[in-house]
Amino acid sequence: MDERTAEISDNLKYLKLLARDYPTQATAASEVIKLEATAKLPKGTEHYISDLHGEDEAFIHILNSASGVIREKTDRVLGSSVPAAARAELATLIYYPVQKLPMLKKRCTSEQSLNDWYRITLLRLIDICRMVSSKHTREYVRGCLPRGCGHIIDELLHAHFEDHNKSLYYGQIVGSIIKNGRADNFIIRLCELIKRLSVDKLHIIGDLFDRGPRPDLILDRLLRHHNVDFQWGNHDVVWMGAAAGSALCCCTVLKTTLAYHNHGMLEDFYGINLRHLLRMAEQYYGQDDLTLWMPHTDEARGPYTEGMLHRCAVMHKAITILMLKLECQVIDRNPDFKMQGRDFLRHIDYSAGTVELNGKVYPLRDTAFPTVDPAHPAQLNPDEEFVLKKLVDSFRNSEKLRRHVEFLYAKGGVYHIENGCLLFHGAVPMTEDGSFAAETFEGQTLQGRALLDYCDLRARRGYYAPEGSDQRRSGQDFLWYLWCGKLSPLFGRSAMTTFERLYIADESTHREIKDPYYTWYNDEAACCRILAEFGLPGSCHIVNGHVPVREKEGESPIKGGGRLLVIDGGFCRAYHERTGIAGYTLVYSSHGMSLRTHQPFETAEKAVRENLDILSRVDVVDDNHTDRVLVEDTDEGVALRARVEDLHRLIDAYRLGLIKEHPTDDSIW
């Protein structure tokens, strides 16, 4: 038996399974031809977004515009012969076809002018659609076409208007679309198809939740996306813990939501019942001075009445006390977390109104703790136990939250590697000397990639381990640790100073010391060590979020000699003043990588009305490619080559008689 025959015999079981899809030499060879041709197509465009923090309108605009990619293609197709204003208008139509179309139609003063506008617009959209479809196989494009009118769009996309023998035919199609009142539908379908074909894959680098108004709308949109992955941020895992039934994660989510006066989103869209919490809060804290507990507000989302602010503040205080009690309990049962000393309620002198922190005593800004027993500060009273049970049940029984969190588990993880890019939200914990920091959990000492893999596995236990098991409770506690733990790769700071910011006036206690990673990531050699730890060569890139880049102070998002890119520029309105911008995104196309800088987004209504965009600058990150990157140069190309090799083995197995062919009428050519 020669070497090739032996190789085929060793893989015969798998090849017989493959033969079900390719029952003859001809069908297998046909697939090889298709795959080898696909490998020579340009690489698909990847789009990277981070730290959206509930800013749904900005996210939808970034997604619709593909961070300027669609405008670039519109300009390229139409050229300078079409005025810039008309190109901007058409780009806005592509972004928001349902909203923009009625506005544009109103300008037409007669049926003839409307029909002329329809014809020009349809032809321009067809040209743009033809361009964005050119890097895909025709089979792939057909799979993206809408039902009902897909065959007509397919004809139009492959029209050649310079062929005079067919110009009448294609002109008739466009004319018939208009005549039969289907122009609006075709325009909308073409716009959606352009957006679908412009970006092959979307990468979200964490932190969808908190601060902004509608994280639920962002997740609804991601659920409908054709190809997306997600790297968890610390603001995401705490919501995942709440959905899993962690009482502490529920309180933490509520505390942050109330701090930004966003609890209406929880009630209205996730169905979380806050009635019992409000009743208890008014009972115990309703007469307190609530100045410290007033929420951060945004004038654009107001107005706020005095009663609204009072209700929010009183619940904010009540849930914070509950959270601090539960933190004591979780710290007690998880000595591995090494968070002793952060069980703050045990370090308060209730008669003196002071707290001890790191060996120093500070006066408290609020000394009213009516539900805390100084002898047993972590103990919940019966009323708190009742309210907490109702809250946990409400989070666990929210069908919409369950659907969103299961999507985050299915599509997400602590990190992701694709096409030479290592993606993670926070940090790979490091020491001052630049080595990987080691931590011991459950008897295992872990660092680098092994630590991130462990965090991923234990986070999944918190949701999927059997109900009532120690593993499930331990996993839920760990989801909270990932939110705020010192060596959490999703947090990357010394401590979450929530208590200090609320209760201690001395601002030196508010400081959250960044992990040494955030110093070392400026060093190219350190970035290369991180890449090597994850099996990647030093020519690859790390894509990071979590820490907003202060561009207005001269900070660059490009670190480590170009090896690392931080794309958190502050989408959240709360960060705009600090960063000077409103976020970065990254685009990786067949022409290379480009970092996109965005200005603050006002409203979708204004963007539609005034043809506004929020892209301010495009910086080329990696322009070492003299030729376009092809599919064969990507991870998909590696998979295609493996598939082709398997098919060659199958063809040889047919030729050697090791597998019998089963021809059908359509498998012979």
Side-chain angles (χ1 to χ4, degrees):
M1 182 184 295
D2 63 26
E3 185 176 337
R4 181 64 170 176
T5 304
E7 179 187 342
I8 293 168
S9 297
D10 289 342
N11 291 278
L12 203 57
K13 185 175 181 180
Y14 166 69
L15 293 175
K16 286 180 178 179
L17 292 173
L18 191 61
R20 296 179 181 178
D21 294 325
Y22 308 101
T24 66
Q25 292 185 53
T27 54
S30 179
E31 183 68 9
V32 167
I33 294 166
K34 184 184 81 172
L35 294 176
E36 290 180 336
T38 299
K40 297 299 182 182
L41 288 170
K43 170 195 175 298
T45 297
E46 297 173 81
H47 193 192
Y48 305 74
I49 309 176
S50 175
D51 294 86
L52 288 155
H53 285 296
E55 297 291 347
D56 59 295
E57 288 199 343
F59 166 70
I60 297 300
H61 189 83
I62 291 291
L63 196 63
N64 284 342
S65 65
S67 289
V69 169
I70 288 174
R71 178 61 189 272
E72 291 166 2
K73 294 185 182 301
T74 300
D75 289 343
R76 195 177 309 158
V77 169
L78 300 184
S80 57
S81 62
V82 176
R87 300 198 303 270
E89 191 171 81
L90 187 64
T92 303
L93 176 64
I94 295 170
Y95 306 160
Y96 302 101
V98 174
Q99 297 92 330
K100 188 67 176 177
L101 189 54
M103 297 182 187
L104 297 176
K105 287 169 60 179
K106 278 184 180 179
R107 297 192 320 207
C108 300
T109 57
S110 67
E111 184 176 351
Q112 184 57 49
S113 65
L114 177 61
N115 289 343
D116 291 342
W117 179 83
Y118 273 143
R119 184 177 298 276
I120 292 170
T121 301
L122 282 166
L123 292 175
R124 285 175 176 173
L125 290 173
I126 290 164
D127 284 341
I128 296 168
C129 197
R130 186 182 294 119
M131 181 190 187
V132 298
S133 68
S134 63
K135 63 164 59 177
H136 301 288
T137 65
R138 191 166 180 178
E139 179 184 19
Y140 178 86
V141 174
R142 281 174 172 166
C144 300
L145 295 175
R147 293 181 181 178
C149 61
H151 62 291
I152 300 173
I153 293 177
D154 186 38
E155 284 286 324
L156 291 169
L157 288 182
H158 297 91
H160 296 284
F161 292 96
E162 66 276 9
D163 183 346
H164 297 293
N165 292 326
K166 285 196 171 182
S167 61
L168 183 62
Y169 169 64
Y170 292 114
Q172 179 60 44
I173 293 177
V174 174
S176 186
I177 289 171
I178 298 168
K179 180 181 176 182
N180 286 282
R182 306 305 297 168
D184 286 7
N185 297 76
F186 271 85
I187 287 171
I188 292 170
R189 298 297 177 269
L190 284 167
C191 290
E192 297 301 332
L193 184 60
I194 289 167
K195 288 184 285 192
R196 169 70 173 78
L197 296 174
S198 293
V199 172
D200 284 65
K201 186 152 192 183
L202 179 64
H203 305 281
I204 305 292
I205 321 293
D207 276 1
L208 288 184
F209 287 99
D210 296 329
R211 300 191 178 99
R214 296 296 302 274
D216 61 306
L217 286 182
I218 296 175
L219 277 156
D220 283 344
R221 185 65 176 263
L222 291 177
L223 280 164
R224 302 194 301 271
H225 198 276
H226 57 277
N227 195 1
V228 61
D229 59 65
F230 191 93
Q231 289 70 66
W232 302 328
N234 64 318
H235 284 268
D236 306 310
V237 290
V238 73
W239 281 75
M240 291 155 60
S246 162
L248 177 51
C249 287
C250 290
C251 291
T252 305
V253 162
L254 271 168
K255 186 255 176 289
T256 306
T257 304
L258 288 161
Y260 285 87
H261 201 278
N262 205 22
H263 53 292
M265 176 272 298
L266 268 177
E267 294 179 293
D268 296 341
F269 305 113
Y270 281 123
I272 306 302
N273 184 355
L274 302 183
R275 177 169 57 88
H276 298 290
L277 174 63
L278 178 59
R279 189 268 310 156
M280 183 194 77
E282 289 286 7
Q283 176 182 338
Y284 289 106
Y285 308 103
Q287 302 305 312
D288 288 2
D289 179 358
L290 297 172
T291 304
L292 295 179
W293 305 95
M294 286 295 164
H296 305 287
T297 55
D298 183 342
E299 291 182 7
R301 294 169 184 150
Y304 304 91
T305 67
E306 186 176 332
M308 290 165 62
L309 295 175
H310 170 82
R311 286 190 292 274
C312 185
V314 76
M315 286 193 290
H316 184 195
K317 181 170 183 178
I319 204 68
T320 300
I321 301 298
L322 265 177
M323 181 185 79
L324 293 171
K325 288 185 175 186
L326 293 175
E327 284 182 355
C328 293
Q329 298 175 21
V330 169
I331 290 168
D332 285 349
R333 63 177 178 254
N334 292 279
D336 283 359
F337 292 176
K338 296 182 174 59
M339 296 181 74
Q340 295 80 5
R342 298 203 62 78
D343 48 347
F344 293 106
L345 293 182
R346 295 189 177 120
H347 299 270
I348 292 174
D349 183 329
Y350 292 92
S351 59
T354 61
V355 62
E356 183 180 349
L357 177 65
N358 298 325
K360 188 174 179 180
V361 175
Y362 299 90
L364 292 170
R365 299 171 72 199
D366 185 336
T367 58
F369 294 91
T371 65
V372 177
D373 177 357
H376 305 284
Q379 184 174 308
L380 276 64
N381 68 33
D383 204 0
E384 289 175 315
E385 289 180 351
F386 172 80
V387 169
L388 190 61
K389 182 181 184 305
K390 291 293 185 181
L391 288 173
V392 171
D393 287 346
S394 196
F395 272 95
R396 291 196 64 187
N397 294 328
S398 170
E399 190 277 334
K400 186 172 186 178
L401 182 59
R402 178 191 58 77
R403 184 160 28 94
H404 286 171
V405 164
E406 289 182 357
F407 167 81
L408 293 180
Y409 273 110
K411 297 291 186 179
V414 172
Y415 69 91
H416 178 67
I417 300 170
E418 187 165 347
N419 292 335
C421 290
L422 169 61
L423 319 179
F424 53 82
H425 176 72
V428 179
M430 302 180 82
T431 64
E432 295 292 343
D433 66 5
S435 59
F436 296 120
E439 186 59 284
T440 301
F441 293 111
E442 299 180 314
Q444 304 177 66
T445 300
L446 305 153
Q447 61 184 19
R449 185 174 187 171
L451 175 61
L452 270 65
D453 285 335
Y454 172 85
C455 291
D456 190 296
L457 177 63
R458 192 162 169 186
R460 294 181 192 279
R461 285 189 215 159
Y463 195 84
Y464 290 108
E467 188 76 38
S469 66
D470 289 342
Q471 279 204 332
R472 186 178 177 96
R473 188 180 71 171
S474 167
Q476 290 175 9
D477 288 352
F478 198 75
L479 285 164
W480 175 77
Y481 177 84
L482 288 174
W483 154 252
C484 64
K486 181 179 179 181
L487 285 189
S488 162
L490 280 60
F491 180 52
R493 294 188 180 98
S494 58
M496 180 81 75
T497 58
T498 303
F499 178 89
E500 293 91 329
R501 291 170 189 272
L502 280 169
Y503 280 101
I504 303 176
D506 187 339
E507 292 186 0
S508 67
T509 66
H510 303 176
R511 187 179 172 214
E512 298 178 354
I513 301 170
K514 294 179 184 176
D515 188 275
Y517 166 86
Y518 293 106
T519 298
W520 282 104
Y521 76 172
N522 293 294
D523 181 73
E524 185 171 3
C527 291
C528 290
R529 288 199 302 275
I530 294 171
L531 289 166
E533 173 72 5
F534 289 83
L536 294 171
S539 58
C540 293
H541 294 86
I542 299 166
V543 185
N544 213 168
H546 189 46
V547 177
V549 175
R550 297 174 184 261
E551 179 165 290
K552 76 174 185 179
E553 297 176 10
E555 184 182 1
S556 170
I558 303 174
K559 313 285 187 181
R563 292 302 101 212
L564 188 146
L565 309 168
V566 180
I567 62 169
D568 180 7
F571 272 107
C572 180
R573 289 174 185 259
Y575 291 143
H576 290 179
E577 187 175 343
R578 262 188 280 172
T579 62
I581 58 170
Y584 298 102
T585 54
L586 183 70
V587 172
Y588 184 14
S589 71
S590 60
H591 297 285
M593 283 186 171
S594 58
L595 194 68
R596 314 300 177 102
T597 307
H598 301 276
Q599 290 304 307
F601 186 75
E602 295 188 45
T603 65
E605 188 275 331
K606 187 172 182 180
V608 173
R609 188 179 66 250
E610 300 180 18
N611 302 320
L612 297 179
D613 224 323
I614 61 174
L615 181 70
S616 65
R617 193 175 71 243
V618 177
D619 296 312
V620 175
V621 175
D622 185 359
D623 58 356
N624 295 323
H625 302 293
T626 54
D627 299 315
R628 295 182 77 178
V629 183
L630 303 181
V631 170
E632 66 183 359
D633 304 315
T634 67
D635 292 349
E636 182 186 353
V638 173
L640 288 181
R641 286 193 292 276
R643 184 73 167 177
V644 166
E645 180 56 33
D646 288 337
L647 289 164
H648 280 307
R649 290 193 188 102
L650 177 60
I651 291 168
D652 287 346
Y654 284 136
R655 289 173 179 163
L656 293 168
L658 296 174
I659 298 177
K660 293 181 180 180
E661 293 186 81
H662 293 86
T664 59
D665 290 342
D666 58 355
S667 66
I668 302 172
W669 55 276

